[in-house]
Each structure stands twice: as C-alpha cells, then as structure tokens.
C-alpha cells in the first residue's frame, strides 16, 4: 500500500528534525477554517493537550492543526509555536478581533536517545509549520519519529530504531483516506500479512525476540510512559464530529494489527482523526474507518522500514544479514533525511 497522509486534500505536513539531539516534531496543518476532528486514546500513559475538546459532546467542531512531538511532556511546548504561526496567518476561531487556533497535540518519550536536555519547543513548532507541504510526507527518522524506537520490553539496549511512516488510499467513490504514525512502541512491529516480526528486541546472535512470548516469563525492563505510538488518520470526506470520533476508534485496529503488544500500561497510544470535507462527498463512516485501520497499519510498517540508525540504535534496514530483518551493513551512518 502506498500513498501518504497528504493525499487527503486540505492537509499539509511539516517536520522539524534535530538529528544531533535525536528528537523532533511534526505538524499536520488544516486549510481554511480547519477540519472536523476526533481522538481516541488507548494507551495507559499518554501525554496530550486539547484532547477533551474533541469529545463529540463538546462545542468546538474543528481544529486548525495537530502536533505530534518527541521530548515527552516537554514537547507539548511545540503546540504553542504552531498556535503562533496559525495566528500570524489569520487562522483560528474568531473571537472578537482575535483568532484563537485550536491545536491538539500528543507527545512520545524519546529522551533516552540522543540528548535528553533538548526537546521540541515553540520555535520548533513554528519551524515545522514553515516546512509544511502537500508533497508526500518524508518518512523515517524525521520529525516526531527522529528519536523513536521499538522492541523495548527486554530492555532499551535491545531496541530497534523506528520513525515516522505514512500511507494512503483512495476509495472507489474517489474519497481519500490517509495515515501518519510516529511509532515509539514498547512492543514489536509485525507484518499483518505474515505475522513475522519486522522489528523487535534484538536477540543475542541475531534475529528478534518475540515480546509476547518473552513476557510470559519476564517482567518488562522499561518504565511506564517511556513509549507511545502517535497517529493522525484523515479523510477528505464530509463527516460529523461523532463520525470522526468513530474513525479514530476504528483506526486503532490498525495499530493492533501491526504492533504486538499494543495499548499497554507502558504506552500512551493516541490516534487523532480529521475530516477536511474537501471532496464535498459524504462517505459511510464504517467504510472510512475500515480504510483508516488499513492505512494506519501500513504507516506503522513504513515507520520502521524507512528508519535509519541514529544515536547508536540500529534501524532494521541497517542490521547485518541473518537477523531476519533484511540485508545491509552491520553499522550504518547515523545520518538521515531532514525535512
């Protein structure tokens, strides 16, 4: 499955990346008056901002951007910079002479990778807005996925590098559905088609441990809140706020297909959903939600397959032959694409 979140009309995506510190943030900008939004939080250790207003019973209907970031709770500062950028560009809820941008956000824990004292801030959020584009989303160790890792139940020293992934598809009626994921899961990333581990705790001598089997005999060797997969799914269909909330809920099935274990006490898994309405078409919410789960699973796979080694954590495409993760040099350059 190919495509990108930016296949959805009305959205632009920008990254801010600090490779030396191994952290970053990603913004999804919504055109015009914004997009109808929902959220579903399934992990037990989330770090979020402005998610309560996305409850279908609450008054605000549209958001103007969504931010996902590294830096743990410190990274929520990036949303303030996105608000400043949006205000300067005349976007937000009209309140008298002012416009107040609505910017939900969520963060992941990447502090053990790179420099823990460098985190995305307001300036980083503004820079991500300046970098935003409707071009296909840059993937791998960029933006909010710069310091992301997976496969950590057996200890961080066995982790594999992850990052940002994106995918999209167009339904038969022409409506687009897309997904973007920053994958920082405690669990393994698995291929839904085969059940094979694509990225998990590195086994001594090569290959991967299977976390769900390992956990039958061991307690986790990482702390609460040190993981999280963050995602944005979107469509250009016309949907109501309750319908968008249901799309966010259904999209979590994509995480469950591609991450195992998922939604644990150690993760803060959060999925935002957006409906831009740019196509002008109504769509069946069950059809959209089903597609959202599929493209989100594909985005998770892309996040680990496109990631480059960074700060001493190897990516699967850089592991030595015989690991079961593909071929390539045992040690790769710590570099990676910049937004």
């Amino acid at each position: 499955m190919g495509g990108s979140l930016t296949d959805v009309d009305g959205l632009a995506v920008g990254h801010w990346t600090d490779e030396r510190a191994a952290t970053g943030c990603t913004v999804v900008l919504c055109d015009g008056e914004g997009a109808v939004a929902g959220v579903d939080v399934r992990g037990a250790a989330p770090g979020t901002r402005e998610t309560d207003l996305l409850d279908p019973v609450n008054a605000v209907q549209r958001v103007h951007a969504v931010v996902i970031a590294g830096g743990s709770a410190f990274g929520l500062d990036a949303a303030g910079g996105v608000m400043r950028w949006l205000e300067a560009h005349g976007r937000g809820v009209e309140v008298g002479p002012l416009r107040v941008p609505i910017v939900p956000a969520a963060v992941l824990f990447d502090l053990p990778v790179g420099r823990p004292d460098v985190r995305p801030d307001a300036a980083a959020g503004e820079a991500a807005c300046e970098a935003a584009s409707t071009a296909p989303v840059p993937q791998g160790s960029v933006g909010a996925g710069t310091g992301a890792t997976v496969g950590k139940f057996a200890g961080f020293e066995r982790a594999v590098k992850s990052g940002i992934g994106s995918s999209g598809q167009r339904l038969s009626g022409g409506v687009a559905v897309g997904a973007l994921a920053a994958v920082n899961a405690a669990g393994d990333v698995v291929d839904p088609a085969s059940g094979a581990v694509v990225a998990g705790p590195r086994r001594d001598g090569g290959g991967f441990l299977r976390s769900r089997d390992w956990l039958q005999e061991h307690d986790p060797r990482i702390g609460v809140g040190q993981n999280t997969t963050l995602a944005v799914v979107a469509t250009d269909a016309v949907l109501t706020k309750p319908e968008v909330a249901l799309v966010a809920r259904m999209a979590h099935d994509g995480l469950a297909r591609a991450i195992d274990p998922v939604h644990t006490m150690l993760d803060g898994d959060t999925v935002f959903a957006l409906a831009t309405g740019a196509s002008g078409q109504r769509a069946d919410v069950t059809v959209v939600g089903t597609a959202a789960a599929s493209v989100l699973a594909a985005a998770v796979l892309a996040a680990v397959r496109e990631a480059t080694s960074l700060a001493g954590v190897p990516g699967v495409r850089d592991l030595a032959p015989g690991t079961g993760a593909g071929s390539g040099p045992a040690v790769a350059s710590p570099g990676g694409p910049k937004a």
Side-chain angles (χ1 to χ4, degrees):
M1 185 178 293
S4 174
L5 183 68
T6 49
D7 293 344
V8 176
D9 288 341
L11 299 180
V13 175
H15 298 311
W16 173 83
T17 301
D18 186 332
E19 286 186 354
R20 289 187 178 85
T23 193
C25 64
T26 298
V27 62
V28 180
L29 294 177
C30 308
D31 285 352
E33 295 304 310
V36 180
V39 69
D40 194 295
V41 180
R42 296 285 177 95
T48 58
R49 161 179 166 153
E50 298 277 44
T51 51
D52 284 352
L53 61 79
L54 301 185
D55 189 309
V57 304
N58 289 335
V60 171
Q61 296 294 306
R62 293 177 175 268
V63 304
H64 304 95
V66 174
V67 176
I68 57 176
S72 188
F74 298 105
L76 291 170
D77 284 348
V82 174
M83 288 187 70
R84 285 202 309 244
W85 189 92
L86 288 165
E87 182 186 25
H89 288 77
R91 302 191 203 177
V93 176
E94 202 168 338
V95 183
L98 303 175
R99 283 190 175 265
V100 180
I102 306 300
V103 183
V107 291
L108 57 81
F109 187 94
D110 58 4
L111 302 183
V113 185
R115 287 185 54 181
D117 60 335
V118 177
R119 309 107 181 191
D121 56 12
E126 287 188 283
C129 291
E130 289 293 335
S133 167
T134 58
V137 177
Q139 301 181 80
S141 302
V142 295
T146 304
T149 53
V150 298
K152 293 168 279 189
F153 278 113
F156 185 81
E157 68 277 4
R158 296 183 183 271
V160 174
K161 190 70 186 68
S162 183
I164 283 268
S166 191
S167 183
Q169 71 176 89
R170 197 164 294 277
L171 305 180
S172 60
V175 165
V177 180
L180 177 148
V183 183
N184 191 53
D188 310 338
V189 172
V190 299
D191 186 337
S194 66
V197 177
V198 178
R202 287 174 285 137
R203 186 192 301 273
D204 294 340
F208 299 123
L209 299 170
R210 191 68 163 97
S211 289
R212 70 183 183 191
D213 297 334
W214 189 87
L215 287 169
Q216 292 181 21
E217 300 180 4
H218 307 85
D219 290 334
R221 293 179 180 171
I222 50 173
V224 172
Q226 296 183 11
N227 315 279
T228 285
T229 297
L230 306 176
V232 181
V233 297
T235 180
D236 55 12
V238 176
L239 297 178
T240 66
K241 192 176 180 185
E243 288 173 333
V244 176
L246 182 59
V247 170
R249 180 190 301 176
M250 292 182 68
H252 270 284
D253 289 353
L255 297 186
R257 292 171 197 164
I259 301 172
D260 183 28
V262 71
H263 304 146
T264 75
M265 290 296 293
L266 308 179
D267 293 275
D269 304 323
T270 301
V271 176
F272 295 99
L274 302 171
T276 68
S279 71
Q281 299 182 61
R282 285 282 300 163
D284 187 288
V285 66
T286 298
V287 174
V288 174
T290 299
S294 294
V295 294
L296 183 50
V300 170
L301 292 177
V304 294
R305 287 172 171 161
E306 296 297 324
T308 50
S309 302
L310 190 65
V313 184
V316 293
R317 67 183 189 180
D318 300 326
L319 291 171
T323 64
S327 61
V331 179
S333 163
K338 293 192 182 223

